[in-house]
Amino acid sequence: LIWADASLVLDTLAVSRALVPLLRNFETDLVVQPHPKRNSTFEEIKHILTNRSQKRFIPIAPYLRDQLAFYTQSRHFNDDDGLYWMAFFAARRSNNTIAFFDRWWLEVRRWQYRDQVSVMYALNSLPLNLRPKVATFDANNNGNKCCKSHGKKYPPEQALCLTLVGDLRKCCRRCYHRVPRSAGDHPDPFAPVARHRPSHRYHPFWV
């Protein structure tokens, strides 16, 4: 199973690249992307609650506060395990994956439609023998380093671009790229951050 958010840009080989982690390790059940901006479920919920100026968030605010209170007190949940960004993921059909998706859907129905804030609880609340084995998309696999001269690694948020469009110099519409200081510079992912404006075509790395 491959899930892709409708707002993402893909090329024709995106599915094949997304399956690589599952083929590399047959014990892996689920391949996900770490959240590019926030590191915990509580941080995500609080972010939504402080941005209620978006009209769509106002009706769900009471449910989010109840969800936050429940997760804070739950003995099944540890908010130190990070946060996965579920706009794009690959999954193997297995009993553990099915158990996770069932639990995740139960959490969405129990609280509110922002499924991003339920995913980590759904994973943590499963018995250990039913939890899917999780891997992450990694831009630094297979020697993908930005320059042999210094060997720095790409930031993790660029892994999704590599998977979706096959090139770290193009944008999948959801990442924050490190953009070179001038068009003549070597593309350096550690240059200052610039946000690409969404469009229906790829964005050059050096715009």
Side-chain angles (χ1 to χ4, degrees):
L1 166 71
I2 304 293
W3 170 268
D5 191 288
S7 66
L8 296 173
V9 168
L10 321 177
D11 70 6
T12 56
L13 297 177
V15 171
S16 297
R17 286 191 296 269
L19 291 174
V20 167
L22 295 176
L23 297 174
R24 186 183 294 134
N25 185 346
F26 285 95
E27 293 186 355
T28 298
D29 296 302
L30 185 65
V31 189
V32 294
Q33 169 72 16
H35 200 288
K37 299 180 184 178
R38 287 171 285 284
N39 298 312
S40 76
T41 298
F42 295 164
E43 188 180 353
E44 177 74 4
I45 294 176
K46 292 172 183 177
H47 169 75
I48 298 171
L49 288 172
T50 56
N51 285 275
R52 284 181 298 159
S53 57
Q54 296 188 39
K55 292 183 179 180
R56 63 195 176 108
F57 293 158
I58 295 175
I60 66 171
Y63 303 101
L64 280 166
R65 283 192 287 267
D66 290 345
Q67 188 174 6
L68 177 61
F70 179 83
Y71 286 177
T72 301
Q73 299 172 14
S74 175
R75 61 184 178 87
H76 298 294
F77 184 57
N78 179 4
D79 198 39
D80 296 329
D81 291 338
L83 180 64
Y84 296 138
W85 185 61
M86 304 301 288
F88 185 83
F89 60 82
R92 190 188 307 279
R93 185 181 293 274
S94 68
N95 291 336
N96 289 15
T97 304
I98 292 171
F100 160 64
F101 285 133
D102 283 347
R103 184 63 58 90
W104 191 17
W105 177 234
L106 176 64
E107 285 302 297
V108 172
R109 294 191 63 184
R110 175 183 293 173
W111 301 110
Q112 42 73 41
Y113 69 88
R114 296 286 294 179
D115 56 3
Q116 182 68 63
V117 302
S118 303
V119 62
M120 299 307 294
Y121 181 86
L123 280 170
N124 275 267
S125 62
L126 287 170
L128 287 175
N129 65 318
L130 287 179
R131 292 183 192 177
K133 292 181 173 60
V134 179
T136 57
F137 297 111
D138 185 1
N140 298 295
N141 280 340
N142 303 319
N144 290 313
K145 294 184 178 180
C146 65
C147 182
K148 291 182 179 179
S149 63
H150 52 69
K152 290 182 181 179
K153 291 185 175 181
Y154 287 110
E157 62 266 28
Q158 287 188 273
L160 200 59
C161 289
L162 189 64
T163 301
L164 293 182
V165 296
D167 192 337
L168 288 166
R169 297 170 299 172
K170 297 175 181 177
C171 185
C172 63
R173 295 179 66 184
R174 284 296 190 92
C175 68
Y176 277 77
H177 269 325
R178 270 69 173 166
V179 180
R181 300 173 188 274
S182 70
D185 290 342
H186 175 74
D188 178 8
F190 297 91
V193 174
R195 184 70 170 101
H196 286 317
R197 296 178 63 83
S199 77
H200 295 289
R201 298 186 63 82
Y202 300 145
H203 288 273
F205 193 52
W206 46 83
V207 294

